[in-house]
Amino acid sequence: MARKASENKDGKRQTTIREVAERAGVSVATVSRILSGTYPAAPATRSKVMRAVEELDYVANHHARALQGTTRKSIAIIVNSVISPHYAHVAQGVQTQAAEDGRLCQIGTSGGDAERELAMVQFMREQHPEAVILVGNVNADDEYKARMSRYAHALAAVGSRLVLCGRPPLGPDAPAVVVEYDNTGGAFAATSHLLSNGHKRILFLGRRPGYTTPDARIAGYRGALAAHGVPHDPSLEVDGTFERYEGYRMMQTRLSAGPPDFTAAFAANDQIAAGARQALVEHGLSIPGDVSLIGFDDLPPAADIDLTTVYQPHEELGRTSVRLALEHARNGGPPPHTTLGAHLVIRGSVAPIVAA
């Protein structure tokens, strides 16, 4: 017997475009044009249609529906950027594991924008992958968590899985697989290494309140200060994003204000560290003779500039995300949550404070 058009291959009823139109109080043609982006609708009309789409959980992808009788064999991954070494290595891990498991990969970028990421998840969902893997840093406020949690439930309802890679859980009720690495522990180890070498005035480069990765790393930095009995000085925390030019800007601004009021700097990633190093050199300061420097990630250019840093298992994050998503899809039960280790890699950019 032929399957009804309103049912998927698991026999679950799907919302039709006519039901969306009825809920919104508009014509089917209006819904179709708004969803295709070809109709200059009034904001109020568009708002009614999109609210009906969300309330009825309508997936507007006829090509995907036509393929529902086939077995889904793909993994989707959404990263902030494809040119960042960290995201590139994680994506390679996803691709490698997916290929070993006979899956294809789809990749999208969010630019670190929460709204774009939410839109990308909805788009990927329409392609019916077995897992949607979100990688890295995001400003996860309460509204974002609530909306992403709804997407996690919607994916689970059709046999797919949302995977949070390198970021914390959405909450206890969200059916999302979580694969983290120890951001806070790694930052604690890095800061403790500087403190053990006699540094008490440690500049933190890359604070970004509300963003998951810098929040976790600054927590480790502050925790190490407290553990070593060193007072926390908020003036030593500098705001900035994770790009190399930002590291240069943060350090250049600091040094332009006067002689260094710090003996060491902990950069929230290696890109920041590279930019900060350039600014230090331009001001005639040597590393580690004048200022000790430490980073996080252990990706290029860390080894090239002899940078002490924190290693994180980039490709293994991607591989583990795929493995756990597929295992959970097969076996069910509570979604797994695992944390991979990070460890300090000691090179030549840190020197002890020499007593006068």
Side-chain angles (χ1 to χ4, degrees):
M1 180 181 294
R3 185 185 298 121
K4 294 179 181 179
S6 60
E7 291 183 354
N8 63 20
K9 71 184 185 72
D10 297 318
K12 295 179 180 177
R13 187 179 181 281
Q14 292 186 332
T15 300
T16 67
I17 193 170
R18 184 175 300 279
E19 290 170 318
V20 173
E22 290 173 355
R23 174 70 66 91
V26 299
S27 69
V28 170
T30 296
V31 174
S32 178
R33 290 168 185 163
I34 287 175
L35 294 180
S36 67
T38 62
Y39 186 63
T45 302
R46 178 177 176 79
S47 177
K48 286 193 297 184
V49 169
M50 298 312 295
R51 183 166 60 249
V53 166
E54 182 174 349
E55 290 173 353
L56 296 174
D57 197 26
Y58 176 67
V59 177
N61 187 314
H62 300 291
H63 177 65
R65 288 183 173 185
L67 296 177
Q68 282 177 351
T70 65
T71 302
R72 297 192 298 268
K73 292 288 185 181
S74 69
I75 301 292
I77 176 173
I78 301 172
V79 298
N80 283 17
S81 165
V82 293
I83 61 174
S84 161
H86 167 63
Y87 296 120
H89 280 71
V90 175
Q92 183 59 53
V94 170
Q95 166 63 35
T96 300
Q97 188 63 48
E100 289 181 8
D101 289 327
R103 271 71 175 177
L104 298 176
C105 269
Q106 309 169 58
I107 187 166
T109 61
S110 67
D113 180 79
E115 283 297 321
R116 179 168 172 78
E117 183 177 82
L118 286 160
M120 286 295 302
V121 171
Q122 177 65 359
F123 172 77
M124 292 295 195
R125 178 187 159 212
E126 293 170 1
Q127 315 311 310
H128 297 282
E130 291 177 276
V132 178
I133 300 173
L134 307 181
V135 184
N137 193 33
V138 71
N139 186 5
D141 59 18
D142 290 341
E143 181 183 356
Y144 168 91
K145 289 179 180 178
R147 289 175 64 187
M148 192 61 80
S149 180
R150 289 199 296 272
Y151 286 162
H153 282 283
L155 286 165
V158 295
S160 185
R161 295 295 181 272
L162 182 70
V163 183
L164 307 177
C165 178
R167 63 174 67 174
L170 294 169
D173 299 325
V177 175
V178 179
V179 181
E180 295 186 88
Y181 57 94
D182 196 358
N183 267 308
T184 301
F188 185 97
T191 308
S192 294
H193 181 62
L194 292 170
L195 291 163
S196 297
N197 277 277
H199 298 278
K200 298 185 185 303
R201 299 283 298 173
I202 302 170
L203 195 66
F204 182 93
L205 300 173
R207 182 180 64 180
R208 203 176 182 196
Y211 283 78
T212 52
T213 300
D215 276 356
R217 292 181 186 178
I218 204 165
Y221 162 81
R222 292 171 180 169
L225 293 176
H228 286 76
V230 175
H232 171 234
D233 183 351
S235 71
L236 290 172
E237 298 176 357
V238 185
D239 290 353
T241 58
F242 275 24
E243 290 80 19
R244 187 186 189 283
Y245 68 85
E246 277 284 272
Y248 178 83
R249 178 194 64 79
M250 286 184 274
M251 185 60 79
Q252 184 74 263
T253 301
R254 191 80 180 194
L255 295 175
S256 296
D261 60 345
F262 55 92
T263 62
F266 175 26
N269 77 351
D270 294 342
Q271 298 295 314
I272 293 175
R277 179 181 181 276
Q278 179 185 348
L280 287 164
V281 171
E282 289 180 2
H283 280 263
L285 298 169
S286 68
I287 304 159
D290 295 310
V291 176
S292 287
L293 181 64
I294 201 164
F296 202 117
D297 282 345
D298 198 26
L299 286 170
D304 297 334
I305 61 176
D306 201 23
L307 180 69
T308 294
T309 186
V310 177
Y311 169 83
Q312 58 161 309
H314 310 274
E315 291 196 27
E316 187 55 32
L317 280 167
R319 293 179 67 103
T320 301
S321 295
V322 174
R323 284 198 301 266
L324 291 185
L326 296 180
E327 287 173 7
H328 187 239
R330 287 193 300 268
N331 303 327
H337 181 175
T338 189
T339 301
L340 305 183
H343 63 266
L344 193 64
V345 178
I346 297 176
R347 297 192 178 102
S349 63
V350 174
I353 294 289
V354 178

